[in-house]
Structure formats: C-alpha cells, structure tokens
Amino acid sequence: MSDSPTVNSTRRRITLAVVAAVTVGIGLVVHLGVSGMIGDIVGDALYAVLIYLLVAFLAPRWPRPAIAVVAFVFCAAVELLQLTGLPREWAALFPPIRLVLGSGFDVRDLAVYAGAVAVAALVDVVVTRASAGSGPTNATGRPPEGERPV
C-alpha cells in the first residue's frame, strides 16, 4: 500500500527541515571560519540552497523547476535590494540581518545563486526518484497495482 500524498508531504517537510538546519550550521561555520572569495562563494551557494529548501518546505508538492525559479528569483531580489543600500543600513542597526540580506551588490552572486539552486533542484529530483523507487515491488520490479509512487 502506498503512502498518501499528505504522508509523503509530511516526510518531505521533515527531511527538508533537517537538511535546512544542517545547511544553516554549515553556513555559519563557513561564515565564521572561511574568509576571502572562497568563503564568499560557498556562503552564497549555501544561502541559495537554504532558500530552495525553504521554498520546497512551504510548497512540498510543487514541481522542482517551480521551486527552483521561486528560490532564484528570491535570491536575485535580495541581491538587487543591496543596490539600494538599505540592507547595509539595517545591518548597522541589527548586525545579524547581514546574514539574511547581505550588504553589497555583487553580480557574481547572481551566477552563484543560479548554479546552487540548479544543483539543489537536481539533487532533489534524484533523491525523490531514488526514494520513490525503493518501495515494495512485484516480480516485474514495479510497485504492486494501484500503488504507483506519487
């Protein structure tokens, strides 16, 4: 018997939440321990992956390309907001906001966000397909009739 879409969404959300928490942890380690261009690029990539995970958490049944587009558009919007100087002003009042909104525009960040979101979506598709294929099967290698993966 296959799981209902609600059960699948709940499992997906739990997995996404755990991976997001790990991503935040790794991001903080990178932020505090890796300097220079490498630290900046890795931090930006982790930020984009986190945004992908959060969008997927909020909309677990959305198609992966839609999640990726929303995640990239959000990241790009935050990057473009930096052109206004507002994130820098807000970070002066509340320094942790710099981790969320950044402080200065860098066109390279847009490319990093696009690549990281694309990789996150690809990993999401591969993991989802692998877990869907790991359910019960009959002699033909297919799930029993009426129990097709969602």
Side-chain angles (χ1 to χ4, degrees):
M1 184 171 195
S2 66
D3 294 327
S4 71
T6 303
V7 169
N8 287 338
S9 290
T10 301
R11 281 188 191 147
R12 178 164 166 74
R13 280 191 166 132
I14 291 168
T15 302
L16 290 164
V18 169
V19 174
V22 170
T23 302
V24 168
I26 294 169
L28 289 172
V29 168
V30 168
H31 176 72
L32 296 172
V34 182
S35 60
M37 186 186 329
I38 298 297
D40 187 45
I41 291 171
V42 172
D44 290 341
L46 289 168
Y47 177 81
V49 168
L50 178 62
I51 298 303
Y52 178 92
L53 294 167
L54 294 174
V55 173
F57 180 87
L58 294 172
R61 295 184 193 170
W62 279 12
R64 298 335 181 247
I67 294 169
V69 167
V70 170
F72 174 74
V73 167
F74 179 88
C75 291
V78 168
E79 191 67 26
L80 293 173
L81 178 66
Q82 293 171 7
L83 288 170
T84 68
L86 290 173
R88 190 181 313 264
E89 290 176 25
W90 297 335
L93 299 172
F94 185 66
I97 206 156
R98 187 169 192 242
L99 296 172
V100 178
L101 298 179
S103 60
F105 177 80
D106 187 346
V107 72
R108 179 191 66 213
D109 292 351
L110 296 173
V112 172
Y113 295 150
V117 166
V119 169
L122 180 63
V123 168
D124 191 6
V125 167
V126 169
V127 168
T128 300
R129 285 186 182 160
S131 66
S134 65
T137 59
N138 60 23
T140 65
R142 295 183 185 156
E145 195 60 38
E147 296 188 14
R148 301 286 186 242
V150 178

